Amino acid sequence: MIKSEFKKKLIKTLNFQENPYHPLVWISGKPRIGKKTFIGGFSEINATNSDVKIGTNCDIAAFVSINVADSHLRCVGLSKRISRKKIIIENNVFIGCYSMIKGGAHIGHHSVIAAGTIVDPVKIPPYSLISGNPMIVKKGYYKKKRK
């Protein structure tokens, strides 16, 4: 009982939505998340005023940021609004720890995002390996390995 009440208080204090993934996953807005998808602790999914679609059978490690919003132009006085772009993560995608998926990104199915990668707002083909900052996309990397 104490654990349950502590969890409720923590969720309310930190403005977390209850979710089936981990008590310390921060979800804002209404992302669409497929079945059999895992989301590790301390990850965030920000779908506020935009659209995030995450497919089935994805594995999102801890400390991952999936964020539709970009406020840097507003902060430096070059815009009056926050830019928001949808994010699509297709089925069977792995996203490593400490990665960031920017608004406008579209990640093809059966792709792997290496730990610490910053994914830019581009369309990435299926079976790709994406790594680094700036990101490097090895198109079809995993398709070649399939038998």
Side-chain angles (χ1 to χ4, degrees):
M1 186 75 158
I2 293 172
K3 185 178 179 183
S4 176
E5 288 186 30
F6 174 75
K7 180 180 171 184
K8 287 179 184 177
K9 186 174 183 179
L10 183 66
I11 287 169
K12 184 177 179 180
T13 301
L14 298 175
N15 197 24
F16 283 77
Q17 292 179 24
E18 285 202 61
N19 66 75
Y21 308 104
H22 189 283
L24 295 176
V25 168
W26 181 53
I27 297 176
S28 60
K30 297 186 189 270
R32 292 176 287 150
I33 302 170
K35 294 179 181 179
K36 296 184 180 179
T37 289
F38 171 83
I39 303 172
F42 300 98
S43 291
E44 76 157 322
I45 300 173
N46 178 8
T48 304
N49 298 323
S50 193
D51 188 33
V52 172
K53 181 179 180 282
I54 300 171
T56 61
N57 201 36
C58 292
D59 187 342
I60 300 168
F63 298 97
V64 170
S65 176
I66 299 170
N67 194 339
V68 299
D70 182 349
S71 64
H72 80 278
L73 292 176
R74 186 190 65 152
C75 288
V76 297
L78 297 175
S79 178
K80 294 195 183 286
R81 63 179 190 84
I82 295 172
S83 172
R84 298 179 193 276
K85 297 177 184 172
K86 73 179 178 180
I87 295 171
I88 298 172
I89 300 169
E90 294 182 6
N91 299 335
N92 301 90
V93 171
F94 174 84
I95 303 175
C97 291
Y98 299 101
S99 294
M100 177 176 184
I101 314 301
K102 294 181 180 180
H106 182 146
I107 302 168
H109 61 86
H110 295 90
S111 291
V112 171
I113 311 298
T117 299
I118 308 297
V119 178
D120 291 325
V122 298
K123 186 167 185 177
I124 297 168
Y127 299 102
S128 294
L129 172 60
I130 303 92
S131 62
N133 179 20
M135 71 176 198
I136 297 169
V137 178
K138 294 182 180 179
K139 298 176 184 177
Y141 181 85
Y142 290 100
K143 189 164 189 163
K144 297 170 191 170
K145 296 184 180 296
R146 290 178 62 99
K147 303 265 180 201

